[in-house]
Amino acid sequence: MSVYELDKTFEKINFKETPLPKGDYEFCSFNNCDFSEVDLFSVSFTECQFVNCNFSLTKFGRTGFRDVKFNDCKLMGLHFENCNPFGLSFRFEDCQILHSSFYQQNIAKTLFKNCRIIETDFTETNLSYVVFDNSDLSGSVFSGSILEHTDFRTAKYFSVDLLRNKVKKAKFSALAILPANRF
């Protein structure tokens, strides 16, 4: 049995203790909620907002994220490659994205603003028109990725091999192209 929730606000819920029912959530807000180690198999979020939520080791399996916003969230050890690719779109602001993977996903036009994206795998990911605005990409991997029109101008601590990625019209700051610097 699955639920359908519309325009509902969830506050300070630990979903490990009080499981989130499987189903569809549209225009919902999740504030200060804990999703750590929760299985979100076949749960779908459409135009939802997550504020100050913990997604440490959350399990995705056909999980839908359509036009979803994450603000000030901790996202650690996540496998976004297991999400439902249909309509997959999100925006991240002031988030910590740690040791996660977007392997082979199409996340074109995503905004990462003021994020710490540490040791995250973007291998074979479509990052066209993505903006890494003032974001730290330390240890993140770009290999076989589509970086066309991707904006790295204010990103820092990243490494992109121009021969192993499609970088047509990608935007970098002048300092990023100096071989002695690591950005």
Side-chain angles (χ1 to χ4, degrees):
M1 180 172 178
S2 69
V3 301
Y4 175 73
E5 295 286 357
L6 177 66
D7 200 25
K8 185 173 179 181
T9 299
F10 298 84
E11 295 271 352
K12 298 180 181 177
I13 299 173
N14 181 335
F15 289 111
K16 193 171 182 181
E17 295 172 1
T18 307
L20 182 72
K22 294 194 184 314
D24 296 312
Y25 296 82
E26 292 188 30
F27 303 99
C28 293
S29 295
F30 296 85
N31 303 315
N32 301 297
C33 293
D34 189 353
F35 291 88
S36 59
E37 300 181 33
V38 170
D39 186 347
L40 294 178
F41 182 80
S42 292
V43 177
S44 182
F45 301 98
T46 302
E47 295 192 47
C48 292
Q49 181 171 347
F50 298 92
V51 178
N52 197 31
C53 293
N54 181 359
F55 284 87
S56 295
L57 302 174
T58 304
K59 296 168 191 69
F60 298 148
R62 296 193 314 211
T63 309
F65 290 108
R66 292 173 190 84
D67 204 18
V68 170
K69 296 177 184 172
F70 293 93
N71 294 84
D72 199 29
C73 292
K74 180 179 182 182
L75 303 113
M76 184 175 79
L78 303 181
H79 291 274
F80 288 96
E81 69 268 20
N82 295 332
C83 291
N84 182 344
F86 179 75
L88 184 66
S89 61
F90 24 56
R91 172 187 184 117
F92 300 93
E93 290 191 39
D94 302 306
C95 291
Q96 295 183 58
I97 304 168
L98 313 168
H99 311 287
S100 294
S101 174
F102 290 90
Y103 178 69
Q104 291 187 334
Q105 282 291 17
N106 179 355
I107 58 170
K109 300 180 182 174
T110 298
L111 172 66
F112 294 91
K113 184 174 183 174
N114 300 321
C115 292
R116 290 186 65 234
I117 308 166
I118 309 301
E119 296 186 13
T120 293
D121 185 8
F122 292 104
T123 299
E124 298 178 21
T125 302
N126 182 353
L127 296 159
S128 299
Y129 295 94
V130 165
V131 176
F132 290 105
D133 183 10
N134 195 38
S135 292
D136 178 349
L137 291 159
S138 296
S140 291
V141 176
F142 299 92
S143 180
S145 304
I146 301 171
L147 303 172
E148 295 175 354
H149 300 273
T150 303
D151 190 343
F152 289 97
R153 289 180 294 183
T154 59
K156 53 191 170 196
Y157 310 124
F158 64 89
S159 177
V160 173
D161 185 331
L162 301 178
L163 300 176
R164 292 182 183 217
N165 296 283
K166 294 180 182 177
V167 294
K168 183 179 179 182
K169 297 189 180 182
K171 299 171 186 170
F172 300 96
S173 72
L175 293 175
I177 60 172
L178 297 174
N181 294 326
R182 180 177 178 262
F183 287 93

